[in-house]
Amino acid sequence: DAKTTQPNSMESNEEEPVHLPCNHSTISGTDYIHWYRQLPSQGPEYVIHGLTSNVNNRMASLAIAEDRKSSTLILHRATLRDAAVYYCILNPGNDYKLSFGAGTTVTVRA
Amino acid sequence: EAQVTQNPRYLITVTGKKLTVTCSQNMNHEYMSWYRQDPGLGLRQIYYSMNVEVTDKGDVPEGYKVSRKEKRNFPLILESPSPNQTSLYFCASSPRLAGGSYEQYFGPGTRLTVT
């Protein structure tokens, strides 16, 4: 499985944007980039995914580098509820399995 | 409300006493799976099921059994639990893949302690 590299932790102030980087230099052409997050004492929650183009939804934006070797999850205005572990996961389009790494722990300061 | 439910949410048991953790989803999803989460090891897949009567091993299947007799239910069975199965367990479901576009829905988790 292609691997991803994320920083262990990041801090942000409330109502400021958060940019979470993810490196995936060995990504294959068919790998989708998925992001999930896990709030304290809860199960993982889908955030967003993409293949080549940047993606936006109500929760976040996903910016994918042109060579696809890195991507950035953008939380536009962090709230206290966004404090969680964020996982960047590569997944071939024909496989349901998600391989979770350590993720990035995001702390939001009030 | 679309959801994945697990029961029980918390369970303390003793070594060797058979137990079942239930998982149910109300979204008519074909794919279901079980993960365990341990400090420092992250989430690891135990078993998964592509459809009714179709199950397969994940990364850490030893000591676990599953069954998929109905589409909505995917119970996790520990025939003879041991202390190394103390963990936080998550069930997940997902609709059939359509060109790689999908998302997995996770349950709230079951915290199991085996003494």
Side-chain angles (χ1 to χ4, degrees):
Chain A
D1 292 343
K3 292 188 182 298
T4 63
T5 303
Q6 300 177 249
N8 290 334
S9 62
M10 293 189 73
E11 289 189 356
S12 174
N13 294 318
E14 200 174 11
E15 299 193 3
E16 290 185 356
V18 181
H19 288 69
L20 299 174
C22 181
N23 288 318
H24 29 78
S25 58
T26 60
I27 190 171
S28 76
T30 57
D31 282 338
Y32 286 77
I33 302 160
H34 288 253
W35 284 84
Y36 281 74
R37 72 179 185 181
Q38 188 173 18
L39 278 65
S41 302
Q42 294 189 26
E45 174 187 32
Y46 168 84
V47 177
I48 200 166
H49 80 281
L51 183 61
T52 56
S53 303
N54 294 344
V55 185
N56 300 297
N57 66 19
R58 63 175 179 80
M59 289 181 69
S61 295
L62 176 60
I64 302 173
E66 195 168 333
D67 63 6
R68 298 208 329 125
K69 294 186 176 181
S70 65
S71 60
T72 302
L73 179 72
I74 303 165
L75 309 177
H76 294 286
R77 290 184 64 193
T79 69
L80 296 178
R81 195 191 173 280
D82 291 321
V85 179
Y86 287 77
Y87 300 98
C88 171
I89 302 168
L90 298 183
N91 184 269
N94 61 352
D95 187 353
Y96 288 98
K97 181 180 175 181
L98 298 176
S99 295
F100 288 82
T104 297
T105 300
V106 171
T107 303
V108 180
R109 294 184 291 257
Chain B
E1 178 189 357
Q3 60 182 349
V4 178
T5 57
Q6 296 178 225
N7 282 293
R9 296 289 313 280
Y10 302 91
L11 179 60
I12 301 174
T13 189
V14 296
T15 299
K17 185 177 181 181
K18 181 179 179 180
L19 67 92
T20 299
V21 183
T22 65
C23 173
S24 183
Q25 49 94 4
N26 62 0
M27 296 167 281
N28 201 36
H29 288 166
E30 295 183 341
Y31 177 86
M32 297 185 74
S33 68
W34 277 102
Y35 294 83
R36 61 178 288 175
Q37 185 172 31
D38 303 288
L41 296 175
L43 280 137
R44 295 176 292 168
Q45 190 181 58
I46 304 170
Y47 267 96
Y48 65 95
S49 170
M50 300 293 286
N51 213 327
V52 175
E53 304 292 359
V54 180
T55 63
D56 209 344
K57 297 177 181 178
D59 297 321
V60 288
E62 294 78 21
Y64 304 95
K65 285 176 57 177
V66 293
S67 69
R68 188 90 181 274
K69 293 182 169 55
E70 304 168 284
K71 199 171 188 178
R72 65 182 293 126
N73 296 322
F74 190 44
L76 179 69
I77 304 156
L78 284 72
E79 294 270 5
S80 182
S82 62
N84 65 12
Q85 293 178 298
T86 293
S87 187
L88 180 58
Y89 291 86
F90 291 103
C91 181
S93 73
S94 179
R96 176 181 287 278
L97 290 174
S101 177
Y102 72 101
E103 62 184 86
Q104 285 201 22
Y105 295 77
F106 284 80
T110 294
R111 185 166 293 282
L112 172 65
T113 302
V114 184
T115 61

